[in-house]
Amino acid sequence: MEQFVVSALKYRPQTFKDVVGQQAITRTLENAIQNNHLAQALLFTGPRGVGKTTCARILAKKINQTSQDSINPDEDFAFNIFELDAASNNSVDDIRNLTDQVRIPPQTGRYKVYIIDEVHMLSQAAFNAFLKTLEEPPAHAIFILATTEKHKIIPTILSRCQIFDFKRIGVNDIKTFLKKIAEKENIQADDDALHIIAQKADGALRDALSIFDRVISFSGKNLTRQAVAENLNVLDYDIFFQVTNLALENKISGILMAFDKILDSGFDAHHFIIGLGSHFRDLMVAKDKATVALLEVGDRTKKQYLEQAEKTDLNFLIQAIELCNTCDLNYKVSKNQRLLVELTLMQIASLSLKPEKKKSL
């Protein structure tokens, strides 16, 4: 039986063009190498799972490949690349060992590249021991520091580095990448299913790939929106469409029963009301062709939004969003949180009632 390899490792980018969502940084690094304008100390900072260590490894390999025209371009120069995990090697002695290694020139290739991951975990004394080497490194040494918490790095280190801020990866970029993987793995994946995974990842591609693996283990080769929503324990779009329809029809009893069913399914009332507010916002966005591009959902769900948006009034949506927002703000201080949400739902379901009908109630 073939050993399973997680997607985050199996599909880890090997070249800059494969890196997802960081085009500005990869283009800058490529140009710096080609123009021989690369700093000797670089700091990669940003959220987890956005490609900092991956870009550091690609850069470390490419530096020597570019500087050695006669060498096989497939040569990875593994002996020229040194990785240090600062989380577990954060003492002065560890940095002294590193500085002793730095003095020795490379046997092959032009540069020795030192990648220090989670550099913010170094102790104050270790940072101080590292300062002189970072300020005046040998001509053959390049340092690439990576961190998720730039604010913890002392200013004297920051001032010696060229800083690259990695951004969170966009939902559409993550979804496109997941779609390519699904095709390679012969997996039938709904566009909406991949979109939910991309949203859940919160800008981290590594998280998206981990979620993707988990959902595949749950649902097999056929990835549906319902299967993803069930496995990730997130509210499906259909629930919000149903609740909105009940509100538009002024069915107060129906909307309360729908909310009770949501709670029985184990979902949090606070998450529900936040999600409902976002749903009303998406409906408002879908009402205008100029803002439809702001709708970050799959194709099938987008069609549902456009259909429901035609049935809703703009004033209804604005008031509904305001009610959901007020409920969200008051939720944590409320003594009876369920009643607060139910009251909000009743108010939303009453928004489109005509004055004479309200009097009869």
Side-chain angles (χ1 to χ4, degrees):
M1 185 178 178
E2 190 178 344
Q3 187 177 0
F4 173 71
V5 181
V6 295
S7 297
L9 292 177
K10 189 175 181 180
Y11 295 101
R12 188 166 202 156
Q14 299 301 314
T15 62
F16 279 132
K17 70 176 182 180
D18 297 330
V19 176
V20 179
Q22 307 293 349
Q23 285 80 5
I25 290 175
T26 55
R27 194 182 303 120
T28 303
L29 292 173
E30 282 189 305
N31 289 341
I33 294 170
Q34 288 170 7
N35 299 326
N36 195 25
H37 203 262
L38 192 68
Q40 282 194 272
L42 302 101
L43 176 66
F44 291 174
T45 178
R48 70 182 192 282
V50 295
K52 298 186 297 297
T53 307
T54 295
C55 282
R57 288 175 180 172
I58 294 170
L59 177 62
K61 186 170 76 170
K62 198 170 178 68
I63 289 169
N64 280 307
Q65 285 178 340
T66 306
S67 65
Q68 298 290 317
D69 297 328
S70 60
I71 290 179
N72 183 354
D74 294 328
E75 173 70 52
D76 63 0
F77 293 94
F79 293 111
N80 293 50
I81 302 168
F82 303 87
E83 285 197 45
L84 179 74
D85 177 25
S88 54
N89 300 278
N90 56 8
S91 68
V92 174
D93 289 338
D94 293 317
I95 293 300
R96 280 178 183 158
N97 291 335
L98 179 68
T99 54
D100 288 341
Q101 285 183 33
V102 168
R103 296 193 189 102
I104 304 168
Q107 299 300 306
T108 59
R110 186 176 170 186
Y111 295 104
K112 287 173 81 173
V113 184
Y114 296 86
I115 300 171
I116 305 178
D117 212 355
E118 302 300 337
V119 71
H120 65 273
M121 298 291 282
L122 288 177
S123 65
Q124 183 73 34
F127 270 129
N128 290 335
F130 191 36
L131 276 175
K132 190 64 177 174
T133 305
L134 201 63
E135 186 174 19
E136 297 177 2
H140 61 262
I142 290 179
F143 293 97
I144 305 174
L145 316 180
T147 180
T148 52
E149 301 182 56
K150 185 175 74 172
H151 61 280
K152 290 186 178 180
I153 300 174
I154 60 175
T156 45
I157 292 285
L158 293 175
S159 65
R160 288 162 169 79
C161 297
Q162 196 172 85
I163 300 171
F164 292 86
D165 285 298
F166 284 67
K167 63 179 182 179
R168 290 186 185 278
I169 302 171
V171 172
N172 288 328
D173 286 336
I174 293 176
K175 185 177 76 172
T176 303
F177 188 72
L178 292 177
K179 192 172 182 180
K180 289 178 183 175
I181 293 176
E183 288 171 358
K184 288 179 182 177
E185 297 289 335
N186 296 317
I187 293 166
Q188 296 294 322
D190 286 356
D191 190 65
D192 289 334
L194 296 179
H195 199 94
I196 292 172
I197 294 172
Q199 281 184 318
K200 188 76 172 174
D202 193 28
L205 185 59
R206 186 171 62 229
D207 289 3
L209 292 169
S210 298
I211 295 168
F212 181 77
D213 286 343
R214 189 175 108 200
V215 175
I216 292 301
S217 298
F218 172 75
S219 61
K221 293 284 185 179
N222 188 21
L223 205 60
T224 63
R225 187 177 80 179
Q226 290 75 17
V228 171
E230 183 182 349
N231 185 256
L232 298 182
N233 196 34
V234 295
L235 285 160
D236 191 22
Y237 294 115
D238 287 339
I239 292 171
F240 296 119
F241 284 119
Q242 179 195 353
V243 169
T244 303
N245 283 332
L246 290 168
L248 291 172
E249 294 166 8
N250 312 122
K251 292 184 178 178
I252 292 176
S253 57
I255 207 169
L256 292 178
M257 291 304 295
F259 177 56
D260 183 66
K261 189 177 177 182
I262 290 164
L263 294 181
D264 284 345
S265 299
F267 292 107
D268 180 58
H270 196 191
H271 288 163
F272 164 72
I273 205 67
I274 292 170
L276 187 61
S278 297
H279 178 77
F280 289 135
R281 174 264 180 197
D282 288 341
L283 283 173
M284 189 168 68
V285 161
K287 284 189 75 66
D288 193 330
K289 288 181 180 179
T291 55
V292 168
L294 299 175
L295 202 59
E296 287 193 336
V297 292
D299 294 335
R300 182 182 152 221
T301 308
K302 183 180 282 188
K303 188 178 178 183
Q304 287 179 279
Y305 269 110
L306 292 171
E307 288 173 359
Q308 193 170 69
E310 290 179 5
K311 303 175 190 174
T312 54
D313 179 65
L314 188 60
N315 288 330
F316 167 84
L317 291 173
I318 292 171
Q319 291 178 68
I321 291 170
E322 192 173 350
L323 286 168
C324 288
N325 187 53
T326 303
C327 181
D328 174 29
L329 294 172
N330 296 331
Y331 189 86
K332 287 186 178 178
V333 296
S334 174
K335 299 292 184 185
N336 191 338
Q337 294 172 334
R338 175 167 181 159
L339 180 61
L340 176 68
V341 176
E342 287 178 335
L343 180 61
T344 301
L345 292 174
M346 287 187 280
Q347 288 173 321
I348 291 170
S350 305
L351 288 175
S352 58
L353 280 173
K354 293 179 181 177
E356 29 320 339
K357 201 171 180 182
K358 284 186 180 179
K359 286 177 184 176
S360 66
L361 289 174

